[in-house]
Amino acid sequence: MQLGLIGLGKMGGNMAERLRRAGHEVVGYDHSPGKRDVESLPALIEALTAPRVVWVMVPAGEPTRATVKELAEQLEPGDVIVDGGNSKYTDDQIHDVMCREKGIGYVDAGVSGGVWGLENGYALMVGGSKDDVAKVQPVFDALKPPTPKDESGQEMPGAGFVHAGPVGAGHFSKMVHNGIEYAMMQAYGEGYELLAAVDLIEDVPGVVKSWTQGTVIRSWLLDLLVRALDEDPALEKISGYAEDSGEGRWTVEQAIENAVPMPAIAASLFARFSSRQEDSPTMKAVAALRQQFGGHAVHAVREQEVERPA
């Protein structure tokens, strides 16, 4: 089928390539002149045959909101917009109302797979009406991983793709997925730190690699940690600053709103905040309190770290 794709970055560009390899026609638009097939959104719409499907793969937030709004003003009844970024599910519900007023379908697709999706396929969590999802299904089928088989050789239908529910359900599912990802990465990181902190373990990368086969904690994330340690065994080339892109925060917000206990995911989110502090004000207060009530020693700030007035 024919697809318009807006956003040809690391994921969008690979998705376009995977779709083309599967025999689909992709008309791509990007702000970067070297990547795009057309020069503007109107030109992209003009290049597509109605009813059109246009997939938005740009950063979440205002870039996506502006793109969807512009498309809704230019597309025609019967066309479908797919948001494949990491938008908050409440944005999807607003976009759906706006599009429905113009007779345009709207589908939200949570996409996981990163830069590896070109070869491995992308896990897809989709929200929208049954009819709108059906219009995009050939694209979903091409993007998702091959159907896996169980130990007996039987195919496992449904793995790698789900129509999770109405509009918003796709990105809500991806939000929870990313919250779990936060906690898993935090656990691997803490395990790595403890291994590296003791003299008893002489081959930390080797221990981590040994976990990748036959253990209950093996995973693709663990494979990626092994890859990182192969490239930099002591992780000396990277700082300990970890950004968060929003989904972890939204997951914790929803946990609070729905009274669902999520201590592991919440702790992993707060750990990312801690990573951005060179000298924690909280721990300064803790040290001061220990000195006040118990006379415990505190470590003075080294002279070279003190900012002196000019």
Side-chain angles (χ1 to χ4, degrees), residues 55-293:
W55 188 301
V56 180
M57 203 68 188
V58 302
E62 188 54 36
T64 293
R65 288 191 285 267
T67 303
V68 171
K69 182 178 179 181
E70 186 173 353
L71 285 172
E73 291 171 350
Q74 299 184 42
L75 290 173
E76 299 173 345
D79 294 343
V80 176
I81 298 173
V82 182
D83 177 5
N86 280 329
S87 294
K88 194 171 184 179
Y89 77 98
T90 49
D91 281 358
D92 294 316
Q93 294 166 340
I94 294 170
H95 292 157
D96 182 49
V97 171
M98 175 177 64
C99 290
R100 293 289 163 195
E101 291 174 350
K102 300 176 182 294
I104 299 167
Y106 184 88
V107 172
D108 60 293
V111 183
S112 181
V115 297
W116 304 90
L118 173 59
E119 301 300 334
N120 299 338
Y122 301 87
L124 301 161
M125 296 141 271
V126 173
S129 73
K130 184 177 180 180
D131 289 344
D132 288 336
V133 171
K135 292 179 182 179
V136 193
Q137 193 64 54
V139 171
F140 295 142
D141 290 341
L143 289 174
K144 72 182 183 67
T147 303
K149 297 181 179 179
D150 61 21
E151 295 179 356
S152 66
Q154 296 295 315
E155 289 192 346
M156 300 168 60
F161 172 84
V162 63
H163 181 186
V167 168
H171 281 146
F172 192 99
S173 301
K174 179 59 165 34
M175 175 192 76
V176 176
H177 164 283
N178 282 23
I180 294 169
E181 179 185 293
Y182 276 42
M184 290 176 66
M185 289 192 287
Q186 183 68 22
Y188 286 138
E190 290 174 4
Y192 164 79
E193 181 174 355
L194 181 56
L195 290 171
V198 300
D199 294 333
L200 183 64
I201 304 301
E202 297 179 349
D203 184 2
V204 173
V207 171
V208 176
K209 186 176 292 186
S210 76
W211 294 342
T212 61
Q213 298 296 322
T215 72
V216 296
I217 64 167
R218 64 189 184 274
S219 74
W220 184 49
L221 282 175
L222 188 61
D223 293 341
L224 294 178
L225 178 56
V226 169
R227 181 185 177 93
L229 291 171
D230 283 343
E231 296 172 354
D232 184 6
L235 300 181
E236 295 173 330
K237 300 175 183 177
I238 189 170
S239 75
Y241 185 107
E243 192 58 84
D244 72 287
S245 55
E247 297 92 336
R249 300 187 189 207
W250 303 337
T251 303
V252 172
E253 288 172 359
Q254 285 302 306
I256 295 169
E257 186 169 327
N258 291 280
V260 175
M262 283 191 168
I265 292 176
S268 67
L269 174 64
F270 294 143
R272 295 199 181 192
F273 298 161
S274 296
S275 77
R276 301 164 203 173
Q277 297 178 327
E278 294 182 5
D279 195 9
S280 168
T282 298
M283 296 317 297
K284 284 186 177 184
V286 170
L289 285 167
R290 292 182 76 248
Q291 183 187 42
Q292 291 297 320
F293 73 71

